[in-house]
Amino acid sequence: MMTAFHAPFCSKALLLPPLLLSLTLLACSATAQRTAPPRERISINTGWKFYRYNAATTPDTLIYDVRPEIKENQDTRPADARPTEAVSITASQNVLKPWILPTGNNFIKDPAKRYQRPTNSPGNNFPFVQPDFNDNNWETVNLPHDWAIKGPFYEGWQTPVGGGMGRLPVQGVAWYRKAINIPKSDAGRNIFLDIDGAMSYAMVWLNGQLVGGWPYGYASWRVDLTPYIIPGGNNQLAIRLDNPANSSRWYPGAGIYRNVWLVKTNPVHVGQWGTTITTNNVSKDAATIGLQVIVDNNAHTNQPIELLTLIYAANEDGQQTGKPVAKFNTWKGAIPPNASDTVTTTTSLPHPKLWGPPPTQSPNRYVAVTTVSAMGKIIDRYETPFGIRDLRFDPEKGIFINGERIEIKGVNQHHDLGALGAAFNERAAERQLRLLREMGCNAIRMSHNPPAPELLALTDKLGFLVIDEVFDCWELKKTPHDFHLIFPDWHEQDLRAMIRRDRNHPSIFLWSFGNEVGEQYTGEKGAALAKELYSITKEEDTTRPATIAMNYAKPDMPMPGVTDVISLNYQGEGIRNGGAYTGLKGISTPPLFPAFHSKFPDKLILSTENASALSSRGTYLFPVYSGNSAPVRDSMGGNSKIEQVSAYELYSVDFGASADKVFATMDQHPFVAGGFVWTGWDYLGEPTPYYLARSSYSGIIDLAGFKKNRFYLYQSHWRPEFPMAHILPHWNWPDRLGQPTPVHVFTSGDEAELFLNGRSLGRKKKAPYEYRLRWDEVKYAPGELKVVTYKNGKLWAQDSVSTTGTAAQIKLSADRTSLLTNGKDLSFITVQVTDKNGLTVPDAHNLLQFSIEGPGEIVATDNGDAANLVSFTSHTREAFNGLCLVIVRAKSGQPGAIKLKAAAAGLQPAMVNLTGK
């Protein structure tokens, strides 16, 4: 049994003696059950008032806790630097932590360790939390909202936020206010506020009373509003956020950046994330489905109920269809007052449609619909989407899904959406995933935090495999104000909350409870903490393995022995080892796949981070490195003056490697189940090696969503059955006439012949562990480069690049021209600067101006240039190597024709027509 939070609230029960109070609460509950749906989940994303303290204003003193003083600049600290000890500090002022900690009590296993809330309510006299406070001068915003993304960017050194966190104004204290109407018919119901993500140290007041909060900015969490609700009118919500600078190694975003919901239930209801579905004995003929349901009774009396769960097939959007395909046995019993009970049952489903990753399998899904009934009436209805799949880990052969070996062809993804910032948008997230799928990617590692719930719904829908990860650090710190400050108080709650929220997603195949944590360095002490987190993970879910991503721990150290899966960051191909990496300062490691496999022969091995290769789309620097992998330097693949890295795709961070080197290492160790590239897309922050820039260089796809050459290198290797060929570089080199200009070809074929202006430059065949074909001595002459590729001696694919004319016109192409007017749907419009023949001019940097007509708005612009510090909200932007991006949204509730126009001096303008529906 678990103790529930609160008894239900009823307005007319305020001043009654205990016996009459109990009877009145039951009467209110019965009235609510007659007049309201059994469960409501209402989006309250629109119409919030927002205020952020500016630099000249001293924030209020309603702080969660004190933080240590920062004495050093952390911005350019190497990503693999050793984490350091926490700084001890004692609070010298009143803090609100004692009132916030009880919010997580339901996720603390030991009742003796749960927190008791103090009796008073701090902040109740503060103006911002009062219902009668006049917030008309505050900004009106809709959620999800990232207050920092509009900028402006901070430029130069010694700024409040440096390149590591994206040079955007994420820091500071801000408030959100919204009045929610609670009708009298809701008297007697339980009312909860569900926040999918708020960055960070969130604290919630309702009608002037402090309700609770949650400090970890990536967590999804709930507060119970029931005791503070006044039915029959407006109830004032006020949410305070406090986002520290120096709290992250990447752009964290700022604000209430995920969805927010009002959930209304009867006092007896399925608990928060209260269902767990497991699948066993899976075959094409049948599957055993296990179900666990937690039912909360927040009333003062025993509640006899009937629990029934039916299983339906789901459509592509995850919605139930048709008639039930299976049912669980009906459970009847009584739930004790102010408590919870757990119901466990199983059923068999004949001929299940299995969930599995494309292209060889299909991501079929089901929905379990649980109803709770009392006295013949349904008092709660709860839906649980899930999938049926058999998952097997073989330390010699890899991962098997439904009996088929699936090589992990994965990427790491941070949570931002480029020019949209951290504010979650399902359309933008799906665009990212579909481009990765085109490349051949089949897996995503959520680095290094729980994602938006809707992102996991997308990975379920599209059939991606997922590593769900919770922490980037534990007790030792990577930045002065990161998660280590709250880890001792919150690690159990955060870990259990993530797993309970996410464990029914079939796309998740592995839990990760740490990334490159400093405790790798602390021997048995660090391993003991790892064992604690491992135990929590296993208590919440026994159906999936658990791991830690390790960049330092070696086979003979204690930490690797804790986990089910050996997850290695960069250690497989070696760190600062061999060739151009020899002698570099930092972690230095030989290739360790064999050593780990020998030490842990019963554990599967994954490469959870590899490559960390760097490049700037369309930028080529000479000379070109003659080997297959090198660290970026000004003399080798980099130019610190223009802050760009060569797109020949041979260069990496000091501790990384090129894709070519990684491919070779993986292919030579077939027992490795696969790996995850750092990263799929460029992301805001961490702009190694140029920390005056705004965003990373490591993506296979740039921040605007344009494919780098590396996209085709991965596609050639990950989709060997797909006929493709790709030539680099572009062929506009007037200043290199007659000079050697290396030409490289990426192809899924095994042989190719290169032609310059119709003349053959030779036919070449890939050698073992070779992943590109190189013609490094081609002397530049304008005209056409063409490659013809072969596979097994047969014609396979062709590609060509040509010298273009001067920039003459603009071309616009929208990825969708019909937009829903729901305030969320987006069109991503590619802008190309072309010559008179329509060829994209690959070195064009024309200044473009955008305007819009009709019921639409330009949300953001970008060009993929990591060094560009023009605000994303600007309607004026230079093309970067011939391309630019405009993101357009139809105005909410306003259908009609929308026209986006693009113009530039000396170029023929362009227009694209969109329609809001």
Side-chain angles (χ1 to χ4, degrees):
M1 302 283 184
M2 291 188 294
T3 303
F5 290 123
H6 300 287
F9 177 86
C10 184
S11 60
K12 59 186 178 183
L14 285 173
L15 301 176
L16 297 177
L19 177 59
L20 289 178
L21 172 60
S22 178
L23 294 173
T24 303
L25 287 169
L26 289 174
C28 289
S29 177
T31 300
Q33 292 174 25
R34 287 195 302 270
T35 59
R39 175 184 289 260
E40 294 178 273
R41 186 172 184 257
I42 304 163
S43 172
I44 55 171
N45 281 346
T46 60
W48 288 77
K49 290 292 187 176
F50 170 74
Y51 170 77
R52 175 175 174 244
Y53 293 100
N54 59 40
T57 307
T58 302
D60 57 74
T61 58
L62 298 172
I63 64 171
Y64 171 82
D65 201 359
V66 294
R67 293 192 284 263
E69 180 184 357
I70 296 174
K71 297 181 179 180
E72 57 178 324
N73 183 359
Q74 297 281 317
D75 199 35
T76 59
R77 196 166 182 258
D80 66 338
R82 179 174 176 170
T84 56
E85 293 286 343
V87 176
S88 179
I89 189 168
T90 303
S92 59
Q93 62 188 102
N94 292 328
V95 297
L96 275 59
K97 182 166 73 169
W99 286 264
I100 305 304
L101 286 168
T103 304
N105 276 348
N106 202 36
F107 302 93
I108 299 175
K109 182 181 179 181
D110 184 354
K113 294 182 179 180
R114 295 174 186 160
Y115 297 94
Q116 184 68 37
R117 178 187 167 101
T119 55
N120 60 327
S121 181
N124 59 342
N125 294 320
F126 188 69
F128 293 178
V129 309
Q130 304 304 319
D132 59 356
F133 174 75
N134 185 350
D135 57 18
N136 289 337
N137 291 329
W138 287 21
E139 182 182 357
T140 301
V141 300
N142 294 329
L143 309 180
H145 174 242
D146 180 348
W147 82 55
I149 193 60
K150 62 185 179 183
F153 286 99
Y154 292 113
E155 299 186 33
W157 301 109
Q158 304 304 320
T159 55
V161 178
M165 289 176 63
R167 298 197 163 273
L168 287 163
V170 296
Q171 82 288 2
V173 175
W175 287 81
Y176 291 81
R177 283 172 48 92
K178 182 179 176 66
I180 54 173
N181 184 271
I182 305 296
K184 288 184 178 180
S185 59
D186 281 339
R189 304 182 83 190
N190 286 178
I191 299 177
F192 305 97
L193 180 70
D194 284 3
I195 294 180
D196 288 344
M199 191 65 67
S200 50
Y201 292 96
M203 298 187 285
V204 179
W205 282 260
L206 182 69
N207 298 325
Q209 301 298 306
L210 179 59
V211 179
W214 205 283
Y216 189 31
Y218 294 105
S220 296
W221 47 279
R222 163 179 285 185
V223 289
D224 186 358
L225 303 181
T226 310
Y228 312 97
I229 287 286
I230 303 173
N234 282 335
N235 289 254
Q236 183 63 54
L237 273 173
I239 301 175
R240 183 189 189 273
L241 302 183
D242 182 0
N243 211 29
N246 297 284
S247 61
S248 178
R249 298 187 299 123
W250 58 85
Y251 178 74
I256 305 177
Y257 69 102
R258 293 179 184 164
N259 292 312
V260 175
W261 311 89
L262 203 63
V263 177
K264 302 179 180 181
T265 71
N266 288 291
V268 180
H269 59 271
V270 176
Q272 182 190 17
W273 306 318
T275 57
T276 304
I277 291 181
T278 57
T279 59
N280 296 290
N281 305 315
V282 175
S283 71
K284 293 180 180 179
D285 298 323
T288 301
I289 314 298
L291 172 67
Q292 178 179 285
V293 182
I294 297 174
V295 182
D296 292 343
N297 176 12
N298 289 349
H300 288 309
T301 61
N302 274 13
Q303 297 290 302
I305 64 163
E306 183 176 289
L307 190 74
L308 173 65
T309 300
L310 304 175
I311 297 176
Y312 297 84
N315 61 18
E316 185 181 358
D317 294 321
Q319 304 301 313
Q320 73 176 66
T321 60
K323 296 180 179 180
V325 296
K327 66 173 291 187
F328 293 91
N329 290 333
T330 301
W331 181 88
K332 296 181 180 181
I335 308 297
N338 298 312
S340 300
D341 208 348
T342 301
V343 178
T344 302
T345 183
T346 61
T347 192
S348 180
L349 176 64
H351 307 295
K353 294 182 178 180
L354 304 184
W355 185 98
T360 57
Q361 302 186 41
S362 299
N364 299 300
R365 287 174 292 164
Y366 291 88
V367 179
V369 179
T370 301
T371 54
V372 183
S373 300
M375 296 182 292
K377 294 184 178 180
I378 294 176
I379 60 173
D380 195 19
R381 184 180 188 276
Y382 189 91
E383 295 188 3
T384 309
F386 70 101
I388 300 171
R389 45 105 174 110
D390 177 68
L391 184 63
R392 180 166 62 89
F393 287 68
D394 186 309
E396 290 293 337
K397 298 179 180 178
I399 295 173
F400 289 78
I401 299 176
N402 304 323
E404 179 189 3
R405 184 185 185 275
I406 302 294
E407 180 186 354
I408 299 300
K409 303 172 181 177
V411 300
N412 287 268
Q413 285 284 94
H414 271 307
H415 75 303
D416 75 74
L417 296 168
L420 301 175
F424 185 79
N425 180 278
E426 186 174 351
R427 163 81 173 104
E430 184 169 358
R431 173 179 178 249
Q432 287 194 340
L433 291 175
R434 289 194 180 277
L435 273 169
L436 291 169
R437 168 60 47 78
E438 180 187 343
M439 182 177 65
C441 173
N442 65 6
I444 308 293
R445 176 175 176 238
M446 303 297 176
S447 49
H448 306 287
N449 44 260
E454 294 84 1
L455 183 55
L456 291 174
L458 284 171
T459 57
D460 288 347
K461 171 183 176 179
L462 298 175
F464 282 88
L465 296 165
V466 169
I467 296 180
D468 208 359
E469 190 162 77
V470 65
F471 301 134
D472 185 48
C473 65
W474 298 343
E475 292 179 339
L476 300 178
K477 70 178 188 293
K478 296 181 179 179
T479 61
H481 289 165
D482 64 20
F483 184 76
H484 83 281
L485 295 176
I486 53 177
F487 181 91
D489 290 330
W490 285 92
H491 64 272
E492 180 183 0
Q493 301 93 304
D494 282 316
L495 180 53
R496 292 190 193 276
M498 180 189 79
I499 297 173
R500 290 183 197 177
R501 188 195 74 171
D502 295 347
R503 60 189 167 192
N504 293 316
H505 288 282
S507 55
I508 296 172
F509 76 102
L510 181 62
W511 303 113
S512 172
F513 52 88
N515 172 66
E516 299 181 358
V517 295
E519 284 75 5
Q520 292 177 100
Y521 296 83
T522 60
E524 292 294 345
K525 180 181 178 181
L529 184 52
K531 288 176 184 176
E532 178 190 345
L533 295 168
Y534 175 84
S535 297
I536 292 171
T537 303
K538 287 302 185 179
E539 287 170 359
E540 294 295 331
D541 180 26
T542 60
T543 69
R544 298 175 179 87
T547 194
I548 309 163
M550 298 174 291
N551 68 327
Y552 175 78
K554 304 300 185 290
D556 59 343
M557 295 180 181
M559 187 166 287
V562 174
T563 63
D564 299 315
V565 170
I566 300 296
S567 296
L568 302 179
N569 287 7
Y570 309 103
Q571 296 196 70
E573 59 271 14
I575 300 175
R576 297 182 177 88
N577 174 261
Y581 300 88
T582 301
L584 298 179
K585 293 181 179 180
I587 298 171
S588 181
T589 299
L592 286 181
F593 282 146
F596 273 99
H597 189 51
S598 175
K599 178 70 174 181
F600 301 101
D602 296 328
K603 293 189 180 187
L604 181 133
I605 296 177
L606 268 175
S607 177
T608 33
E609 280 183 35
N610 60 46
S612 198
L614 307 176
S615 61
S616 304
R617 175 191 50 79
T619 297
Y620 300 91
L621 303 175
F622 302 95
V624 176
Y625 182 59
S626 60
N628 74 347
S629 188
V632 172
R633 295 292 185 269
D634 271 0
S635 60
M636 189 161 52
N639 186 326
S640 58
K641 292 182 179 179
I642 60 172
E643 297 169 5
Q644 304 297 345
V645 180
S646 178
Y648 272 98
E649 308 297 1
L650 293 167
Y651 308 101
S652 77
V653 298
D654 284 9
F655 54 81
S658 70
D660 307 64
K661 185 178 179 181
V662 172
F663 290 159
T665 306
M666 300 287 281
D667 287 347
Q668 291 173 63
H669 300 95
F671 57 82
V672 179
F676 294 81
V677 182
W678 191 268
T679 56
W681 283 56
D682 278 341
Y683 56 95
L684 290 166
E686 206 169 15
T688 306
Y690 306 124
Y691 271 75
L692 289 174
R694 66 176 194 194
S695 54
S696 77
Y697 298 77
S698 61
I700 300 169
I701 300 168
D702 75 17
L703 199 71
F706 301 132
K707 301 167 186 175
K708 299 182 184 180
N709 289 324
R710 219 175 325 142
F711 179 97
Y712 302 99
L713 180 56
Y714 278 97
Q715 187 181 65
S716 71
H717 188 60
W718 282 354
R719 297 182 64 185
E721 78 294 340
F722 177 60
M724 58 80 61
H726 177 76
I727 296 177
L728 62 142
H730 64 72
W731 211 236
N732 282 24
W733 300 106
D735 58 343
R736 296 188 63 80
L737 194 64
Q739 295 185 42
T741 305
V743 176
H744 293 189
V745 171
F746 304 150
T747 179
S748 50
D750 54 29
E751 192 173 4
E753 186 171 9
L754 184 68
F755 299 86
L756 175 57
N757 295 326
R759 181 174 62 89
S760 175
L761 300 182
R763 184 161 168 164
K764 298 192 176 188
K765 192 167 186 175
K766 290 180 184 175
Y769 308 118
E770 189 174 72
Y771 305 93
R772 68 175 75 200
L773 294 168
R774 303 174 63 146
W775 287 260
D776 284 336
E777 301 303 323
V778 177
K779 293 184 178 180
Y780 176 74
E784 182 192 52
L785 270 178
K786 180 180 179 180
V787 68
V788 179
T789 68
Y790 301 85
K791 192 163 190 174
N792 298 322
K794 296 181 179 180
L795 188 66
W796 184 246
Q798 301 182 23
D799 189 33
S800 64
V801 293
S802 297
T803 307
T804 73
T806 58
Q809 57 189 348
I810 301 170
K811 180 182 177 182
L812 301 179
S813 54
D815 69 346
R816 67 172 53 175
T817 56
S818 181
L819 293 171
L820 298 175
T821 58
N822 58 6
K824 301 176 183 179
D825 201 6
L826 301 172
S827 179
F828 292 85
I829 299 165
T830 297
V831 185
Q832 296 169 268
V833 177
T834 75
D835 65 10
K836 64 180 181 180
N837 296 317
L839 297 176
T840 301
V841 180
D843 52 356
H845 292 80
N846 302 69
L847 184 64
L848 302 163
Q849 295 180 325
F850 305 105
S851 60
I852 197 165
E853 297 177 2
E857 54 188 334
I858 297 173
V859 180
T861 64
D862 191 15
N863 59 13
D865 179 3
N868 188 291
L869 300 183
V870 174
S871 168
F872 289 126
T873 61
S874 175
H875 293 191
T876 301
R877 185 172 299 278
E878 285 187 352
F880 180 60
N881 295 325
L883 298 178
C884 192
L885 177 75
V886 182
I887 306 173
V888 171
R889 176 172 54 212
K891 291 183 178 178
S892 182
Q894 299 184 42
I898 303 167
K899 295 182 179 180
L900 177 76
K901 297 180 179 179
L907 302 184
Q908 182 178 335
M911 182 179 70
V912 65
N913 293 308
L914 311 173
T915 304
K917 295 183 178 180

